[in-house]
Each structure stands twice: as C-alpha cells, then as structure tokens.
Amino acid sequence: MGAAHSQAWRTAPRFFDLPLAPQLTALVGRNESAARAAAAKLGWDSVHTDWRELIERDDIDVVDICSPGNTHAKIAIAALEAGKHVLCEKPLANTVAEAERMTEVASDAAARGVYSMCGFTYRRTPALALAKRMVDDGRLGTIRHVRAQYLQDWLSDENAPMTWRLDKSKSGSGSLGDIGAHSIDAAQWITGRTISGVSAMLETFVKERPIGGEMVGLGGHGAVGHDVPRGTVTVDDAAIFSARFGGPAADGGPIGVFEATRFALGRKNAMRLELNGTLGSVAFDFEDMNVLQYYGAADGPDAGFRRIMVTEPSHPYVGNWWPTGHGLGYEHGFTHQVVDFVTAIAEGRQPEPSFADALQVQKVLEAVEASAAAESRWQSV
C-alpha cells in the first residue's frame, strides 16, 4: 500500500488539474534503513521512524495511513486532533468501538475544516463508477439482487508463511475484512442501501503456518520440516454470508450473497459484483477491470448482456488518461482517490467514503463474525 499510495500522490497532479499541489514530504517506517531505501525509491523527501514526529511537524497537512489495522485508530485520532487531514486505508479499524471513536473525532474535525476519508479504492474503478451512475440514473430499476465475490488464491499453499494478515490482533480479521470489506463497501455504495442483517459462515482451513520463509507478493513459500516453528492462524480463510439491505417499506430492499476467500485456486483478484434490477442488470469482474457487462430488459430477451468497454472520455475518470480502448490498471484507482480527496479538501467538503461510511462497513464485519460464532443465526447490523 505504501508503494501504491506513493505512486498516486506523485501521479495525480500530472494527469489531473488539482486545486492543491501534493508534496511528498515524509515517509514513516519502523526500520530506518528500510524506510530510507523506500523513501528514495518512492520519492519522499525525509524519513521518520516514529509516526508521532509527523504530528508535530508544521509542514505536514495530510497524514496517509497505510499500516496494519491495529494502528489506524491511534494515528488517525492524533492526526485529526492536531489539525491534519487523514486518508486511512481499509478496513477503518479492527473493532467497531475503535471505528466509532475515529468517526466521532472525524466529525469534530470536519466542523473545523479538517477532513478524513477511508481508502475503499474500488469505488474509483471507472467500470464500477459507471455502474453506480447507471443505478443512480434508474437504468436498472429497483434492485432485487446483489451478488458479490472476492476470490484470491495466494494462501492456498498450506506452507505459505505466517504474516501479520493472519494475526487477528494486527489485522482484525482475515479474508472477511481484508477483501470482503471492499465488496461490502462497493455493494452499499452502488445500491445506495446499507446492509441491515446477515447470516454467515467463517472457516479457517489451515490452522498453523511456518514462521519465516520466502515472501513473494502477499504470500510466498514458508520453510518446511518437522523442526520448523509454526504460528497459529487466528483469522478466517474464507467468509460466506447472505444479507438483506435496508430500503423503503414498499420494496423491502434487495437481498445479497457475499463470498470472500484466499483459497480459490486460479483466481488472482476476482473482485466480482452483479446487480439484478427490475429493468436490467450489471456485472463486473476486476480481473477484466475495464469492462462492465450490462443487460437492459427493454432490449428484449435475445439481446443478452452487452460488453461495455469503459474507456470513453465520457466515462468516470477516463477522460484524463489515454485514448479510447487503452485500458487502465490497478494503480489508477489510487490516483483517482487522491484526486477526489484533494479536491474535496480544497472545496471545503467531506470526501467520500467518510469515516462514517467506513464505520457502517465495520458494523457489517462485526455482525458477520457474530453470526458465524452463533451457528449462522441471523444477526442485525
């Protein structure tokens, strides 16, 4: 995330006309030599090994939090109380209580013109943003079904090494919060409805993993052998839940099915979302991220789904990039995030998703865990 966010801060003002100019002033890392190497590579002017030193600097206006979830609350609260704008990675915190406190502080800060935002970057994927526009324009009618999957396979090797993402005290949860949170946020954002209740199952397939080994990407290859020390996995490997969305009494709100796993062999980053409404449907898969599938009932039963290549200048964000048909990538969502964040700060308005939006996601995560712990009994959010 540090590399992705750094690239975004560098790139945004070069492709978009920003009302304020970002300056990459300081990078914080626990290991000074590693932090200095990262700062030199990623374009930061100075280095600290204690985040508190950032809070004390008068030349820092924004704090961008890319650290594990157990650190989010204390950094964000201190930064906001010191008058720094905050961009915080998802999920917002490791508990609802932490997220509620962060939201309270964020609300107080916003009243003073100090703003915060949570980094659900899939909102900034042009195809998903186009789906949101279509729903808002009424092209799908009343939404009946939400179908969301987030499928990866980087933990499918039972000897992949133990990392902080597998330690609940640091990460809060496993596939549920790490990737499922993206699906929850995207579904609520696009439909304009919040999840009101869930019935869930969580599963941890591999209970222990080697401590140490070769890290590759998010996973890697752990050491093997009878004498190799192993750590206990304290998070879920997979999450499945059904959900109901709140809505007007007339329609009751859509129903949804969600799945998140890091054990789906062959699926690298299949963040999928499909909405079915009374007038049409849309379907998206991040592994084909420049495409949105659309079906309009008025086109007749023989029309089928239409493949929309989301690379036209009229599509969200795309006009500032390449010619039609020249696709964007994963990193562009982070650039769009910087654009929206900086623009909102300059205009003196709340950027989205707010900490309050992220708190709603946190409440869904908590309800899923509570339902799974109670033999999948229905749990209100």
Side-chain angles (χ1 to χ4, degrees):
M1 284 301 99
H5 283 235
S6 298
Q7 192 270 350
W9 287 111
R10 291 195 312 270
T11 304
R14 289 167 174 80
F15 284 84
F16 293 80
D17 296 323
L18 297 186
L20 298 170
Q23 297 175 328
L24 280 68
T25 303
L27 178 146
V28 178
R30 292 172 298 180
N31 180 288
E32 184 174 0
S33 61
R36 290 195 179 282
K41 183 176 183 179
L42 299 174
W44 294 88
D45 293 339
S46 60
V47 168
H48 294 279
T49 56
D50 187 340
W51 60 265
R52 295 169 185 83
E53 295 171 356
L54 286 187
I55 308 302
E56 297 169 359
R57 288 182 60 159
D58 293 334
D59 60 342
I60 299 292
D61 302 307
V62 174
V63 174
D64 184 352
I65 303 171
C66 300
S67 48
N70 64 316
T71 67
H72 288 184
K74 57 186 176 184
I75 299 175
I77 289 171
L80 289 169
E81 290 180 339
K84 319 291 187 185
H85 306 290
V86 170
L87 174 60
C88 183
E89 260 300 333
K90 46 54 56 189
L92 185 61
N94 279 4
T95 67
V96 167
E98 286 180 336
E100 286 177 335
R101 176 59 181 150
M102 293 169 73
T103 303
E104 290 174 5
V105 173
S107 178
D108 292 341
R112 306 191 307 272
V114 178
Y115 296 105
S116 53
M117 187 173 83
C118 190
F120 286 107
T121 52
Y122 285 105
R123 289 190 180 204
R124 272 81 190 187
T125 305
L128 276 180
L130 178 60
K132 167 67 170 172
R133 180 191 297 176
M134 294 169 75
V135 170
D136 289 348
D137 289 345
R139 294 178 64 180
L140 269 62
T142 300
I143 306 300
R144 301 299 196 202
H145 288 282
V146 176
R147 203 165 291 107
Q149 293 179 310
Y150 204 141
L151 313 177
Q152 296 177 339
D153 72 353
W154 60 271
L155 275 179
S156 53
D157 179 358
E158 295 189 3
N159 288 310
M162 188 77 183
T163 69
W164 70 267
R165 292 177 185 270
L166 304 176
D167 180 349
K168 188 175 179 63
S169 67
K170 295 182 175 66
S171 63
S173 65
S175 61
L176 173 62
D178 190 25
I179 55 179
H182 277 300
S183 296
I184 294 166
D185 178 72
Q188 294 188 137
W189 171 62
I190 292 176
T191 62
R193 306 285 188 88
T194 56
I195 293 173
S196 59
V198 299
S199 173
M201 289 191 298
L202 299 178
E203 183 61 50
T204 303
F205 299 115
V206 179
K207 315 297 185 186
E208 293 183 334
R209 291 187 175 274
I211 296 175
E214 180 186 4
M215 292 300 301
V216 179
L218 293 173
H221 311 288
V224 295
H226 296 297
D227 57 345
V228 171
R230 303 179 76 87
T232 300
V233 176
T234 52
V235 300
D236 59 281
D237 287 329
I240 298 175
F241 65 95
S242 56
R244 179 171 291 281
F245 291 72
D251 65 44
I255 58 174
V257 179
F258 291 76
E259 179 183 10
T261 180
R262 301 185 286 211
F263 276 72
L265 276 170
R267 302 299 180 193
K268 303 306 176 182
N269 200 51
M271 190 275 195
R272 298 169 168 177
L273 186 66
E274 180 171 324
L275 306 179
N276 308 127
T278 54
L279 299 179
S281 298
V282 291
F284 170 79
D285 185 340
F286 193 79
E287 289 188 350
D288 195 7
M289 65 167 288
N290 291 289
V291 170
L292 182 67
Q293 301 282 347
Y294 168 68
Y295 174 77
D299 297 334
D302 296 334
F305 273 85
R306 176 155 56 90
R307 186 174 184 269
I308 302 174
M309 190 74 174
V310 188
T311 58
E312 298 292 335
S314 60
H315 292 147
Y317 303 106
V318 179
N320 287 72
W321 295 104
W322 317 122
T324 298
H326 295 67
L328 302 187
Y330 172 70
E331 73 278 13
H332 291 86
F334 294 92
T335 301
H336 301 157
Q337 176 173 261
V338 165
V339 171
D340 291 344
F341 183 53
V342 170
T343 301
I345 289 173
E347 294 177 354
R349 59 178 173 83
Q350 175 60 54
E352 295 181 348
S354 66
F355 278 16
D357 296 326
L359 169 60
Q360 166 63 22
V361 175
Q362 199 78 44
K363 290 179 178 179
V364 176
L365 299 178
E366 182 182 79
V368 168
E369 289 192 307
S371 173
E375 299 181 329
S376 305
R377 284 196 292 273
W378 187 259
Q379 181 73 31
S380 295
V381 176

